[in-house]
Amino acid sequence: MAVEVIHEGATILLRLSNGPVNALSVGNGFVGDIMAKVRLAVSDPACRTIVVTGAGRMFCGGADISDFDGDPAQIGLLRDLIAAVEDSGKPVIMAIHGMALGGGLELAMAGHVRIAQAGSRLGLPEVTLGLLPGAGGTQRLARLIGAGAALDMMLSGKPVTAERALSLGLVDQLVDGDVVEAALEVARNAPPLRRTGALPVPADLGEAIEGRRAKLRGGLSQAPTRIIDCVAALSDDLAAGLALEAELFGELMRSEASRGLRHAFFGERTVARIPGLSGDVRPREVRHVGVIGGGLMGTGITLALLNAGVPVTMVELRADALAKAEASIRKTIQRDVEKGRIDQAVADARIAAFTPATELDALSDADLVIEAVFEDMGVKKQVFSALDAITRPDAILASNTSTLDLDAIAALVADPSRVVGLHFFSPANIMRLLEVVRGRETAPDVLATAMAFGKRVGKVSVVSGVCDGFIGNRMFEEYLRQVWFMLEEGALPQQIDAAMERWGMAMGPCRTMDLAGQDIGWAIRKRRAVEQPDRPYSGVIDRICELSRFGQKTGKGIYVYPDGRTAEPDPEITKLIEDYSAEIGLTRRAISDEEIVSRCLLALINEGARIVGDGIAYRPVDVDMIYLHGYGFGRERGGPMFQADLMGLPAMLDRLRTLAAGRNGWAWTPAPLIEQLAAKGGRFEDLNIQG
Ligand code: 3HC
């Protein structure tokens, strides 16, 4: 952390340097240091102009997000710095390269001239953290570029290119070469003190506000509404606008939505770190990738890889299935062209990177092979035995299994240290989650390679140990167990789904299972009936499966799908559920939405805590990221374990104990980790620091 001061004639160049993104951290004293150096420059009689730039790969990635967990008053120092820059009697020229985001752009807007390097990007992404630009951004951006354009930037959170920033008036000059040299050149000519905060209120204010308010959608985060409120408050009185902005920023900072979104931001980065992995471990190089299996999963994985620029050889032993997979891949890539997502040249390159094959020999030189064949140990055995003979001894062999024991699969090859699980979620080209399954023997560099590969193909990769269902599906079973119990006790599917969707799940559990295929859950329940007879499920869902109503793919499941896609409640199912309750002698009762949400959530948390306690997940946040990226858990809700901390573990334990004393109470035995943490006043968050 340093602010370098360089004297260039009558100009003082301040180079900001604070970690990878030059975050404007108040907590570590960085903002204080910048303030001190700005004051020195302003009071230095030999200094006529000031240039501010960032060291490393960007100007500045914004305020330090970890500051927001501390004292809200801290941010005041950043606001003071920004005011000091704008009010400076000497011109301050901002030399922007890489990125200027959030507080970084707010600092830049306080400068009197902004020069950006071509290719850099500028934005106010605070909304993605459930915040508003809280260091003058809502008051200055609209003055510079107009209210409509400013609202679009702030409400989307998407950065604009330097070229667009120039056309909007956000920057004054664009340079191809050295941006600092260009800024020093401008400084030598002592530009006028054009103060952004003194610019008039934009003429499009009223119209822009009305239009954006009309488009507001509900949601847990109040940030969009508050951003509009701040812009609507724009007046000649800058101080009043800034005061409102500061007040609303503080409100948002403390909100559940912002806390959840900040947890997600750091969580996505934390899960990439493998605790205990030595810094000397280097990922292996992955150039040639093979995917075995041309079914739904193999096709999705292949698409995900091709879209990330990874060449793939797909092996499917049946020529007709291979042709079908290839046609589907070509069609999906071409659809991206039709939708304007990519141009034809990119599509052609992706298709050219695809090699279909019907023989496993085609994988003899692969660095990584991902098996996505039928979920049957006999089939896996054939594949892995063949791969053991065909592939290079240093090639990594990955299984996409979601239900089988990875250690048993690894035992099929001579060197089990080269086997790892890569559990993609369907559709693999869309879903961002990748569970990287660490087998008992998986070599550290194989695990590191799997994580690096996941990142390369744009996935949020989370390590899971070996257990039935790994992290995500093991928890989902407990969630569904409660859903089916609630059906027999008195709830209807549409009520459960609506309650969960209103709360923040992308899709309710009944619709989810109709989409995934009720037959899959049925097969698991049959297996469980043998393995765990003491942990029964409600039979109500089996009754539905016995009618061969497997969900969307059969046109009927818990719901009916008259147009093939839209779920509609079915009176026949309502009757079936009510009859089932009567048959088992249960008087149906009204189940509140609150109870639905609470039971679903507690089931996830309790099993999540077992998974962390068993060492299957490294940290609670790993569980959270799996739920956010693989199960449609609302990002603003942070994840199940984050929710547990919000609830408070002692309160949660009380609730679990109450449930454990009730009907099917065996399902609610509190996880030992919850008991331990609650006893010592701990939180799951305390366990997230490892790694
Ligand atoms: N605060 C604190 N830490 C930050 C940070 C920030 N604003 N931005 C990035 N980091 C950290 C990351 O956590 C990561 O830490 P790690 O190495 O320990 O995991 C490290 O910096 C590198 O970040 P990335 O891995 O994300 O690096 P990339 O090169 O992939 O991306 C980036 C760079 C585009 C700047 C991306 O980090 C990003 O989007 N950062 C957040 C930008 C943002 O939201 N800024 C607004 C902050 S809120 C604000 O400014 C409020 C103000 O209005 C008052």
Side-chain angles (χ1 to χ4, degrees), residues 20-21 23 57-58 61-66 68 75 78 99 101-103 106 125-126 129 131-135 249 265-266 269 273:
V21 304
R57 55 194 175 97
M58 67 184 72
D64 185 337
I65 299 166
S66 52
F68 304 150
I75 316 297
L78 177 58
M99 305 206 98
L101 298 178
E106 292 175 295
E126 285 85 343
L129 298 166
L131 295 169
L132 53 79
F249 182 85
F265 176 85
F266 285 119
R269 287 154 181 84
R273 289 194 278 270

Side-chain angles (χ1 to χ4, degrees), residues 174-355:
L174 193 64
V175 292
D176 279 324
D178 187 332
V179 72
V180 174
E181 276 308 316
L184 289 171
E185 180 59 30
V186 170
R188 279 190 274 277
N189 297 318
L193 287 166
R194 180 180 182 251
R195 294 194 167 95
T196 308
L199 295 175
V201 172
D204 68 337
L205 186 64
E207 177 200 340
I209 295 291
E210 223 174 279
R212 301 324 181 275
R213 272 213 209 283
K215 282 197 212 145
L216 274 178
R217 277 178 293 146
L220 191 64
S221 173
Q222 288 301 302
T225 309
R226 294 314 196 193
I227 287 170
I228 298 177
D229 290 346
C230 286
V231 176
L234 233 70
S235 75
D236 292 338
D237 185 352
L238 176 70
L242 291 176
L244 176 74
E245 182 194 86
E247 184 193 327
L248 297 182
F249 182 85
E251 219 175 75
L252 292 177
M253 206 176 103
R254 289 182 293 270
S255 68
E256 178 183 342
S258 177
R259 290 167 66 191
L261 290 166
R262 275 142 49 199
H263 176 73
F265 176 85
F266 285 119
E268 282 159 1
R269 287 154 181 84
T270 303
V271 294
R273 289 194 278 270
I274 304 175
L277 194 73
S278 149
D280 300 339
V281 173
R282 293 272 159 269
R284 298 183 191 177
E285 208 171 329
V286 176
R287 276 168 308 194
H288 303 148
V289 181
V291 172
I292 308 179
L296 193 66
M297 214 57 217
T299 303
I301 294 171
T302 301
L303 270 166
L305 272 45
L306 293 173
N307 291 349
V310 177
V312 181
T313 299
M314 176 191 268
V315 176
E316 166 56 65
L317 307 184
R318 293 164 304 146
D320 56 336
L322 183 64
K324 207 172 140 208
E326 180 168 359
S328 159
I329 286 165
R330 284 176 180 272
K331 196 170 146 204
T332 309
I333 292 177
Q334 204 53 42
R335 201 184 315 129
D336 281 345
V337 177
E338 282 150 26
K339 294 212 162 159
R341 295 189 189 123
I342 52 170
D343 60 30
Q344 192 59 48
V346 173
D348 292 346
R350 287 182 186 176
I351 287 166
F354 174 71
T355 310

